[in-house]
């Protein structure tokens, strides 16, 4: 199965993707994670992307498109994938369509996680992540057992710079300006399913397990 997860920052794309990956053994491909790894190890890509990420703006399309062209050709993507954070613009969506066509593949489904802006600010403002393994915590909903220390790997649990409220508001503005056009784009192609992001954590799994989708 090849699917795209859409939704504003904080809708829970990463969490849902992890559950789907576990159930179906798909590759979980997160552009945000790939970019952050590149920033961490100071690659050319990371250096080019960092200032956009820190400001909550989108990294330019050609940079992202080249990065994903390589990523989608790696072996693990061959048996299916979940795209988390890509595409983010109509240009990226068109490019993804071209690339999949070249590979003789197509998308099976696009899931839109719906959530209000205020709920996003509540979720992301309290989000903390493990700087070592990427585990996600929330100061109110799911704190680490020992403050600042990851339950699973002992790494340090921090707040991402782009989870500061002013940057969250900017990310939401970018989402409404650019990414929300993808809803219409995929609706026209009859690929879109809407899922309430405030609902049960397995809501996406339930949605894609409905009989229409062939694994
Ligand atoms: P979010 O929680 O906002 O969905 P991500 O972890 O997916 O954040 O992405 C973090 C940052 O990486 C974005 O704010 C943006 O700067 C950059 N980024 C990620 N994916 C893309 C993309 N497909 N196109 C452009 N920029 C991207
Ligand atoms: Zn950890």
């Amino acid at each position: 199965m090849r699917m795209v997860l859409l939704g504003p920052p904080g809708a829970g794309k990463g969490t849902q993707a992890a559950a789907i990956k576990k159930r179906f053994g798909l590759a979980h491909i997160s552009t945000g994670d790939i970019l952050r790894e590149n920033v961490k190890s100071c690659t050319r890509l990371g250096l080019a992307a960092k200032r956009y990420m820190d400001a909550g703006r989108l990294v330019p399309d050609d940079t992202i498109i080249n990065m994903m062209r390589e990523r989608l050709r790696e072996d693990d993507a061959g048996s299916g994938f979940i795209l988390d954070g890509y595409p983010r613009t109509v240009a990226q969506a068109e490019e993804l369509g071209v690339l999949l066509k070249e590979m003789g593949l197509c998308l099976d489904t696009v899931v839109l996680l719906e959530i209000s802006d205020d709920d996003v600010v509540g979720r992301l403002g309290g989000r903390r992540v493990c700087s070592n393994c990427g585990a996600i915590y929330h100061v109110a909903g799911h704190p680490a057992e020992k403050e600042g220390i990851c339950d699973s790997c002992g790494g340090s649990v921090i707040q991402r710079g782009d989870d500061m409220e002013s940057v969250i508001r900017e990310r939401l503005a970018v989402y409404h300006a650019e990414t929300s056009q993808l809803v219409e784009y995929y609706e026209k192609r009859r690929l879109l399913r809407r899922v309430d992001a405030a609902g049960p954590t397995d809501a996406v799994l339930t949605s894609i397990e409905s009989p229409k989708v062939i694994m």
Side-chain angles (χ1 to χ4, degrees):
M1 182 171 62
R2 284 166 291 275
M3 68 178 290
V4 167
L5 272 178
L6 282 186
K13 297 188 294 289
T15 311
Q16 298 281 354
I20 299 163
K21 170 185 173 156
K22 201 167 157 193
R23 176 79 136 258
F24 299 113
L26 305 171
H28 171 197
I29 302 177
S30 157
T31 43
D33 287 349
I34 300 174
L35 289 167
R36 277 184 293 277
E37 271 162 32
N38 277 277
V39 170
K40 211 168 152 185
S41 43
C42 294
T43 64
R44 234 167 88 175
L45 170 63
L47 292 175
K50 187 174 187 314
R51 62 195 167 103
Y52 297 98
M53 297 170 73
D54 286 345
R57 313 252 316 273
L58 293 182
V59 175
D61 279 338
D62 51 346
T63 306
I64 296 288
I65 285 168
N66 288 332
M67 174 179 108
M68 290 305 280
R69 280 203 150 245
E70 282 181 26
R71 181 62 188 89
L72 288 172
R73 289 179 187 283
E74 283 174 30
D75 286 349
D76 66 332
S79 48
F81 51 73
I82 313 153
L83 297 180
D84 162 7
Y86 180 84
R88 221 116 140 180
T89 62
V90 171
Q92 291 178 16
E94 281 170 347
E95 176 59 27
L96 174 63
V98 170
L99 176 59
L100 289 175
K101 206 168 166 188
E102 279 173 23
M103 297 169 79
L105 303 172
C106 61
L107 277 181
D108 298 300
T109 190
V110 176
V111 174
L112 171 66
L113 287 169
E114 300 189 289
I115 183 171
S116 73
D117 285 7
D118 285 343
D119 285 348
V120 166
V121 173
R123 278 191 186 186
L124 291 189
R127 178 162 79 173
R128 300 293 182 271
V129 296
C130 173
S131 55
N132 181 48
C133 75
I136 296 168
Y137 299 91
H138 192 279
V139 289
H142 170 47
E145 265 174 39
K146 280 191 204 147
E147 202 188 319
I149 297 170
C150 178
D151 295 352
S152 49
C153 81
S156 56
V157 173
I158 56 159
Q159 181 175 38
R160 263 167 53 182
D162 61 352
D163 281 345
M164 310 287 283
E165 180 163 347
S166 58
V167 183
I168 296 170
R169 297 277 176 199
E170 176 62 24
R171 284 157 69 200
L172 281 167
V174 168
Y175 176 79
H176 291 301
E178 313 237 13
T179 309
S180 61
Q181 293 171 36
L182 291 179
V183 172
E184 198 184 321
Y185 181 91
Y186 284 121
E187 214 157 35
K188 272 192 195 146
R189 287 159 180 78
R190 301 191 171 281
L191 286 170
L192 197 81
R193 291 160 188 262
R194 292 169 187 271
V195 171
D196 180 4
T201 47
D202 60 355
V204 172
L205 267 181
T206 311
S207 160
I208 59 176
E209 277 181 327
S210 75
K212 266 199 217 156
V213 183
I214 298 154
M215 293 302 157

